[in-house]
Amino acid sequence: MESGIIWLKSTDSTNNELRRRLDRSDNLSIVAAEMQSAGRGQGEHTWHSEPGRNLTFSILLRHRCLKAADALAVTSIMALGIRDYLQTKGIEPWIKWPNDIWVGDRKICGILVENTINAGMIEFSIVGVGLDLNQTDWPSELPNPVSLKDLTGQEYDTHQELRLLSEAIAQRSARASAPEGAAELMKEFEKVVVRLER
Protein backbone atom coordinates (compact mmCIF):
# COMPACT_ATOMS: atom_id res chain seq x y z
CA MET A 1 0.00 0.00 0.00
CA GLU A 2 1.12 3.54 -0.74
CA SER A 3 1.25 6.07 2.06
CA GLY A 4 2.93 9.35 2.81
CA ILE A 5 3.54 11.89 0.03
CA ILE A 6 4.03 11.04 -3.62
CA TRP A 7 5.39 13.89 -5.77
CA LEU A 8 4.81 13.97 -9.52
CA LYS A 9 6.26 16.31 -12.12
CA SER A 10 2.86 16.64 -13.77
CA THR A 11 -0.60 15.10 -13.94
CA ASP A 12 -4.03 16.08 -15.20
CA SER A 13 -5.42 16.62 -11.70
CA THR A 14 -4.15 15.33 -8.39
CA ASN A 15 -7.72 14.36 -7.41
CA ASN A 16 -7.91 12.21 -10.55
CA GLU A 17 -4.46 10.76 -9.90
CA LEU A 18 -5.25 9.83 -6.32
CA ARG A 19 -8.51 8.22 -7.41
CA ARG A 20 -6.54 6.09 -9.89
CA ARG A 21 -4.31 4.97 -7.01
CA LEU A 22 -7.18 4.48 -4.57
CA ASP A 23 -6.96 0.70 -4.17
CA ARG A 24 -3.35 0.93 -3.04
CA SER A 25 -3.49 4.13 -0.97
CA ASP A 26 -3.74 4.34 2.81
CA ASN A 27 -5.58 6.92 4.89
CA LEU A 28 -3.90 10.36 4.66
CA SER A 29 -1.96 9.40 1.53
CA ILE A 30 -1.08 12.44 -0.58
CA VAL A 31 -0.41 12.92 -4.27
CA ALA A 32 1.23 16.24 -5.11
CA ALA A 33 2.21 17.63 -8.50
CA GLU A 34 4.47 20.42 -9.65
CA MET A 35 2.07 21.00 -12.52
CA GLN A 36 -1.56 20.09 -13.27
CA SER A 37 -2.89 20.23 -16.81
CA ALA A 38 -6.52 20.16 -15.66
CA GLY A 39 -6.54 21.39 -12.08
CA ARG A 40 -10.06 21.98 -10.82
CA GLY A 41 -11.67 24.44 -8.46
CA GLN A 42 -15.15 24.52 -7.03
CA GLY A 43 -17.96 24.09 -9.57
CA GLU A 44 -16.81 24.82 -13.12
CA HIS A 45 -13.74 26.79 -12.02
CA THR A 46 -10.20 25.82 -12.95
CA TRP A 47 -7.21 26.34 -10.67
CA HIS A 48 -4.26 28.39 -11.90
CA SER A 49 -0.81 27.73 -10.46
CA GLU A 50 2.67 28.54 -11.73
CA PRO A 51 4.45 25.17 -12.07
CA GLY A 52 6.65 24.25 -9.14
CA ARG A 53 5.88 27.40 -7.15
CA ASN A 54 2.85 26.43 -5.09
CA LEU A 55 1.30 23.46 -3.33
CA THR A 56 -1.15 21.54 -5.49
CA PHE A 57 -2.05 18.20 -3.95
CA SER A 58 -4.81 15.81 -2.98
CA ILE A 59 -5.20 13.87 0.25
CA LEU A 60 -7.20 10.71 0.95
CA LEU A 61 -9.36 10.56 4.06
CA ARG A 62 -10.78 7.13 4.85
CA HIS A 63 -13.61 7.39 7.35
CA ARG A 64 -14.58 4.83 9.96
CA CYS A 65 -18.10 6.02 10.63
CA LEU A 66 -19.09 9.33 9.03
CA LYS A 67 -22.66 9.92 7.96
CA ALA A 68 -23.30 11.65 4.66
CA ALA A 69 -25.30 14.23 6.60
CA ASP A 70 -22.10 15.14 8.45
CA ALA A 71 -20.05 15.77 5.29
CA LEU A 72 -19.13 19.26 6.45
CA ALA A 73 -16.79 17.59 8.96
CA VAL A 74 -14.45 16.82 6.06
CA THR A 75 -14.27 20.49 5.11
CA SER A 76 -13.70 21.45 8.74
CA ILE A 77 -10.77 19.01 9.09
CA MET A 78 -9.11 20.45 6.01
CA ALA A 79 -9.86 24.13 6.51
CA LEU A 80 -8.84 24.16 10.16
CA GLY A 81 -5.70 22.15 9.43
CA ILE A 82 -4.66 24.64 6.74
CA ARG A 83 -5.51 27.51 9.08
CA ASP A 84 -3.34 25.93 11.81
CA TYR A 85 -0.43 25.68 9.37
CA LEU A 86 -0.73 29.30 8.20
CA GLN A 87 -0.87 30.53 11.78
CA THR A 88 2.56 28.96 12.38
CA LYS A 89 3.84 31.34 9.67
CA GLY A 90 2.48 34.37 11.50
CA ILE A 91 -0.54 34.63 9.19
CA GLU A 92 -4.08 35.04 10.54
CA PRO A 93 -6.40 33.61 7.85
CA TRP A 94 -10.15 33.29 7.78
CA ILE A 95 -12.37 30.68 6.15
CA LYS A 96 -14.78 31.87 3.47
CA TRP A 97 -17.81 29.60 3.25
CA PRO A 98 -17.72 26.89 2.17
CA ASN A 99 -14.09 26.04 1.45
CA ASP A 100 -11.73 28.91 0.65
CA ILE A 101 -8.99 30.32 2.86
CA TRP A 102 -8.45 34.08 2.72
CA VAL A 103 -6.02 36.53 4.28
CA GLY A 104 -7.61 39.93 4.51
CA ASP A 105 -9.39 40.50 1.20
CA ARG A 106 -7.22 38.09 -0.81
CA LYS A 107 -7.53 34.35 -1.43
CA ILE A 108 -4.57 32.15 -0.55
CA CYS A 109 -6.06 28.65 -0.75
CA GLY A 110 -8.90 26.68 -2.29
CA ILE A 111 -10.24 23.28 -1.25
CA LEU A 112 -12.18 20.80 -3.40
CA VAL A 113 -13.89 17.95 -1.53
CA GLU A 114 -15.11 14.85 -3.39
CA ASN A 115 -16.91 12.35 -1.17
CA THR A 116 -17.81 8.78 -2.03
CA ILE A 117 -21.04 7.75 -0.30
CA ASN A 118 -22.46 4.26 0.23
CA ALA A 119 -25.67 3.50 2.14
CA GLY A 120 -25.76 6.93 3.70
CA MET A 121 -22.16 6.80 4.91
CA ILE A 122 -19.06 8.51 3.52
CA GLU A 123 -16.58 5.75 2.73
CA PHE A 124 -13.75 8.08 1.81
CA SER A 125 -13.00 11.62 0.70
CA ILE A 126 -10.50 12.83 -1.86
CA VAL A 127 -9.68 16.44 -1.08
CA GLY A 128 -7.79 18.65 -3.50
CA VAL A 129 -5.88 21.65 -2.16
CA GLY A 130 -4.30 24.56 -3.99
CA LEU A 131 -2.22 26.72 -1.66
CA ASP A 132 -0.36 29.73 -3.08
CA LEU A 133 3.13 29.40 -1.65
CA ASN A 134 5.80 31.20 -3.71
CA GLN A 135 4.01 32.68 -6.72
CA THR A 136 4.05 36.48 -6.94
CA ASP A 137 3.18 37.08 -10.61
CA TRP A 138 -0.53 36.57 -11.28
CA PRO A 139 -2.69 36.49 -14.41
CA SER A 140 -4.79 39.63 -14.77
CA GLU A 141 -8.03 37.62 -14.77
CA LEU A 142 -7.42 36.56 -11.17
CA PRO A 143 -8.76 39.47 -9.11
CA ASN A 144 -7.49 38.78 -5.62
CA PRO A 145 -4.80 36.06 -5.19
CA VAL A 146 -2.05 36.18 -2.59
CA SER A 147 0.78 33.80 -1.68
CA LEU A 148 2.67 33.12 1.50
CA LYS A 149 5.71 34.74 -0.12
CA ASP A 150 3.66 37.85 -0.89
CA LEU A 151 2.78 38.07 2.78
CA THR A 152 6.12 37.23 4.40
CA GLY A 153 8.76 37.99 1.75
CA GLN A 154 10.24 34.52 2.22
CA GLU A 155 10.80 31.74 -0.32
CA TYR A 156 9.54 28.31 0.76
CA ASP A 157 10.59 24.76 -0.06
CA THR A 158 7.49 23.05 -1.45
CA HIS A 159 8.39 19.56 -0.21
CA GLN A 160 9.18 20.71 3.32
CA GLU A 161 6.07 22.88 3.56
CA LEU A 162 3.80 20.09 2.34
CA ARG A 163 5.18 17.82 5.07
CA LEU A 164 4.39 20.48 7.68
CA LEU A 165 0.93 21.11 6.24
CA SER A 166 0.13 17.39 6.07
CA GLU A 167 1.04 17.04 9.75
CA ALA A 168 -1.37 19.83 10.67
CA ILE A 169 -4.16 18.15 8.67
CA ALA A 170 -3.36 14.75 10.21
CA GLN A 171 -3.65 16.24 13.70
CA ARG A 172 -7.08 17.65 12.89
CA SER A 173 -8.16 14.34 11.37
CA ALA A 174 -7.05 12.44 14.49
CA ARG A 175 -8.98 14.82 16.73
CA ALA A 176 -12.10 14.41 14.59
CA SER A 177 -12.00 10.62 14.98
CA ALA A 178 -11.88 10.80 18.77
CA PRO A 179 -15.11 10.54 20.80
CA GLU A 180 -17.07 13.76 20.36
CA GLY A 181 -14.13 15.08 18.36
CA ALA A 182 -16.09 15.76 15.18
CA ALA A 183 -18.68 17.79 17.07
CA GLU A 184 -15.98 19.87 18.76
CA LEU A 185 -14.31 20.42 15.40
CA MET A 186 -17.56 21.62 13.87
CA LYS A 187 -18.10 24.08 16.72
CA GLU A 188 -14.64 25.54 16.12
CA PHE A 189 -15.23 25.68 12.37
CA GLU A 190 -18.51 27.55 12.85
CA LYS A 191 -16.73 30.15 14.98
CA VAL A 192 -14.18 31.04 12.27
CA VAL A 193 -16.06 30.51 9.00
CA VAL A 194 -17.59 33.58 7.34
CA ARG A 195 -20.74 33.24 5.26
CA LEU A 196 -20.99 36.17 2.87
CA GLU A 197 -24.41 37.32 1.73
CA ARG A 198 -24.89 37.13 -2.01
Side-chain angles (χ1 to χ4, degrees), residues 109-143:
C109 181
I111 303 168
L112 176 64
V113 178
E114 297 180 338
N115 295 317
T116 294
I117 298 171
N118 184 19
M121 307 295 290
I122 302 177
E123 289 187 356
F124 63 87
S125 306
I126 293 177
V127 186
V129 176
L131 174 66
D132 296 326
L133 195 66
N134 292 311
Q135 187 167 344
T136 56
D137 185 20
W138 306 97
S140 58
E141 65 268 20
L142 297 181

Side-chain angles (χ1 to χ4, degrees), residues 74-84 95 98-101 111 189:
V74 180
T75 299
S76 69
I77 290 168
M78 295 301 300
L80 291 173
I82 294 166
R83 183 172 178 267
D84 293 342
I95 302 168
N99 51 10
D100 288 336
I101 312 294
I111 303 168
F189 178 79

Side-chain angles (χ1 to χ4, degrees), residues 20-49:
R20 289 190 286 264
R21 298 167 178 260
L22 184 63
D23 289 344
R24 59 183 191 274
S25 295
D26 290 330
N27 183 44
L28 299 176
S29 292
I30 290 176
V31 171
E34 293 182 13
M35 182 178 71
Q36 295 183 104
S37 60
R40 303 196 308 278
Q42 192 70 20
E44 299 299 317
H45 297 159
T46 58
W47 181 264
H48 171 84
S49 179

Side-chain angles (χ1 to χ4, degrees), residues 1-6 14-15 17-19 21-32 57-62 78 125-128 162 166 169-170 173:
M1 295 286 284
E2 295 176 344
S3 60
I5 301 172
I6 297 170
T14 55
N15 271 31
E17 183 65 33
L18 186 51
R19 191 172 294 278
R21 298 167 178 260
L22 184 63
D23 289 344
R24 59 183 191 274
S25 295
D26 290 330
N27 183 44
L28 299 176
S29 292
I30 290 176
V31 171
F57 68 95
S58 297
I59 184 168
L60 175 64
L61 301 177
R62 293 190 181 276
M78 295 301 300
S125 306
I126 293 177
V127 186
L162 182 52
S166 68
I169 294 169
S173 179

